[in-house]
Amino acid sequence: MFDLGKVHIGVLGLGYVGLPLAVEFGKKYPTIGLDINEARVQELKEGRDSSLEVDPVELQQVAHLSYTSNLDDLKSCKIYIVTVPTPINEHKQPDLSPLIGASHALGKVLKPGDIAIFESTVYPGATEEVCVPIMEADSGLTFNQDFFVGYSPERINPGDKEHRLPTIKKVTSGSTPEVADFVDELYSTIITAGTHKASSIKVAEAAKVIENTQRDVNIALVNELALIFNRLGIDTLEVLEAAGSKWNFLPFRPGLVGGHCIGVDPYYLTHKAQSIGYQPEIILAGRRLNDGMAAYVVHSIIKLMMKRGIATNSNNVLVLGLTFKENCPDLRNTRVVDIVTEFEDYGARVDVYDPWVEPDEAEQEYGLRPIMELRDGEYDAVILAVAHRQFKEMGAEKIRALCKKNGVLFDVKNLLPVSDVDARL
């Protein structure tokens, strides 16, 4: 019934997840990438990727890949792969609107025998409880009779040039045993690291959502240890390095927890847990602690400034880095903005500098425009918030030079030697 020789793939969403996926499939199969952002489609047609996930040379050499913003262009496809974002709203509840929109779009193009595969992170059950009914209603087709569904959660790590899509093991699943086998076989043709076929879509959904929940809880533990050690006058990184001399100690580090996954995915799991009558304890406690780290950083810096006689209601502050992680332009759910907001609440004037960020994108997303040049001796406090390689190359002396004579240098990322900064996590 399902034949790899007749595969024609449509990828919905060409962001950090969708584009690398479309590129890999486009090397082997006729593939169409769809994105509702026409500017994104145009840049890809011109061989440019502003996310920096795909090298321009590789992008221009893909044999069977085309791009469109027109849904009708996908009607010839037999396999549809959904890679739209699944964010949270202001109340920290799952925002399924992009996923719902994609499901409605699929309902307009599905044909008998088609398979829709979802890669977006969701809570267990979402694919079959939310997406499938929409596709059935809009297409007039019957699930698992006329069309089928698979789920293979994304594992893209933005900015990571070592762990790429083909070298990361892929979880697969399908709505019937035959579909599960086919989905697994399909991904096996592009994933050199191999696949893991789950017994059901729900298992695959749950596996994805706990990957980042586990990391979130572990980072929360280390963040809490940092709060304790700070009060004890002990350097946290020194403690972690000492403990890390044991072979099975997990090498987590304290810091801000943002991004499209770790700071978001746990809320999908807790939402589902609460809907079935269970109140999560550890997961939500970890989320609260991690969400409060920016305020802790700012309060620590304010105390240092007060000890040095620096006015806290009229100072100049520089934040180095805005992206949610180092060496990539990804601004999604960055918690660096919380540092900016906290300082502004104290009356500070805050500049942000990030060589990886497009100022227009930052202004559109967060209402702040990064500066383009650094000025020595200008700031009462400098916060090293993201460990970009450019900041590492600057070194402590050049970063310290940005401060006024008695200014404070705080290292959130433990990038500089402890002897060269005034404080760090």
Side-chain angles (χ1 to χ4, degrees):
M1 182 176 181
F2 306 110
D3 184 358
L4 282 178
K6 297 180 180 179
V7 166
H8 191 174
I9 297 172
V11 178
L12 284 73
L14 295 174
Y16 286 87
V17 174
L19 179 62
L21 189 71
V23 166
E24 292 302 324
F25 275 124
K27 294 175 181 178
K28 292 181 175 290
Y29 309 105
T31 303
I32 303 173
L34 171 77
D35 202 287
I36 59 174
N37 184 341
E38 293 186 5
R40 175 65 167 165
V41 171
Q42 186 57 40
E43 74 169 21
L44 293 173
K45 286 181 176 180
E46 295 171 358
R48 296 180 293 108
D49 171 26
S50 57
S51 73
L52 306 181
E53 286 301 302
V54 180
D55 183 85
V57 175
E58 181 183 15
L59 196 61
Q60 294 171 26
Q61 292 178 345
V62 182
H64 310 294
L65 176 60
S66 60
Y67 310 99
T68 186
S69 57
N70 186 351
L71 180 64
D72 288 341
D73 292 339
L74 267 62
K75 287 184 176 180
S76 61
C77 297
K78 297 294 294 180
I79 309 294
Y80 299 94
I81 305 178
V82 177
T83 64
V84 298
T86 43
I88 54 175
N89 61 25
E90 59 185 283
H91 305 296
K92 297 180 179 178
Q93 294 293 314
D95 177 6
L96 294 177
S97 55
L99 195 63
I100 290 171
S103 300
H104 281 298
L106 286 175
K108 297 176 182 178
V109 296
L110 279 175
K111 307 172 297 300
D114 286 355
I115 300 176
I117 303 171
F118 292 83
E119 290 214 358
S120 306
T121 302
V122 291
Y123 53 77
T127 301
E128 292 159 296
E129 295 167 9
V130 177
C131 303
V132 166
I134 293 173
M135 291 187 289
E136 279 193 312
D138 288 2
S139 68
L141 302 176
T142 301
F143 175 51
N144 276 345
Q145 177 178 314
D146 301 316
F147 75 94
F148 306 87
V149 168
Y151 184 80
S152 181
E154 60 91 3
R155 281 177 165 171
I156 293 292
N157 187 25
D160 189 338
K161 301 307 179 185
E162 179 183 354
H163 301 97
R164 309 301 293 164
L165 175 65
T167 63
I168 302 172
K169 197 164 189 176
K170 202 86 162 68
V171 174
T172 65
S173 64
S175 55
T176 70
E178 294 77 18
V179 171
D181 288 343
F182 177 76
V183 171
D184 191 70
E185 184 181 10
L186 176 66
Y187 277 99
S188 294
T189 64
I190 65 167
I191 306 297
T192 58
T195 60
H196 177 98
K197 185 172 63 175
S199 63
S200 69
I201 288 175
K202 280 187 178 181
V203 168
E205 291 168 327
K208 169 57 182 177
V209 81
I210 71 165
E211 288 175 12
N212 289 312
T213 299
Q214 182 189 62
R215 286 180 57 78
D216 193 45
V217 171
N218 275 286
I219 296 171
L221 171 61
V222 176
N223 275 335
E224 187 162 58
L225 294 176
L227 302 184
I228 296 170
F229 296 148
N230 178 264
R231 293 193 177 197
L232 293 173
I234 304 173
D235 183 70
T236 303
L237 185 59
E238 190 177 352
V239 173
L240 294 175
E241 288 174 343
S245 63
K246 189 181 181 192
W247 79 92
N248 61 351
F249 186 82
L250 301 177
F252 289 93
R253 293 290 185 264
L256 307 177
V257 183
H260 66 107
C261 288
I262 300 180
V264 172
D265 295 356
Y267 290 119
Y268 275 75
L269 183 57
T270 57
H271 167 79
K272 185 63 176 180
Q274 289 166 336
S275 74
I276 58 173
Y278 180 79
Q279 180 60 31
E281 300 291 346
I282 293 176
I283 298 171
L284 288 176
R287 279 281 73 237
R288 287 192 297 270
L289 200 148
N290 285 340
D291 280 346
M293 289 307 292
Y296 169 76
V297 167
V298 173
H299 295 166
S300 298
I301 296 169
I302 291 294
K303 287 181 181 179
L304 287 170
M305 294 170 70
M306 291 176 66
K307 289 180 180 179
R308 297 185 180 187
I310 302 172
T312 58
N313 61 350
S314 60
N315 51 73
N316 294 334
V317 173
L318 173 65
V319 178
L320 294 175
L322 181 60
T323 59
F324 91 89
K325 65 178 294 187
E326 65 275 6
N327 303 325
C328 80
D330 196 345
L331 288 171
R332 291 174 295 174
N333 193 39
T334 175
R335 299 280 43 97
V336 178
V337 296
D338 296 343
I339 291 179
V340 176
T341 302
E342 286 285 333
F343 268 117
E344 289 178 340
D345 286 345
Y346 278 98
R349 184 181 70 82
V350 184
D351 285 340
V352 176
Y353 175 78
D354 192 318
W356 287 84
V357 169
E358 287 292 334
D360 289 344
E361 182 182 356
E363 188 167 34
Q364 180 180 357
E365 189 72 22
Y366 296 109
L368 59 87
R369 192 170 188 84
I371 61 174
M372 301 304 293
E373 295 182 0
L374 294 171
R375 302 181 299 274
D376 287 351
E378 185 83 12
Y379 300 99
D380 298 293
V382 173
I383 300 92
L384 183 51
V386 185
H388 290 318
R389 65 170 180 265
Q390 289 90 340
F391 301 147
K392 185 175 182 179
E393 291 167 358
M394 284 177 68
E397 184 175 349
K398 289 185 178 180
I399 293 176
R400 171 71 72 178
L402 301 169
C403 294
K404 293 179 181 178
K405 188 175 181 179
N406 64 337
V408 173
L409 175 54
F410 192 101
D411 186 359
V412 175
K413 297 299 294 183
N414 292 301
L415 187 67
L416 304 176
V418 65
S419 59
D420 291 333
V421 300
D422 298 301
R424 65 183 187 178
L425 279 181

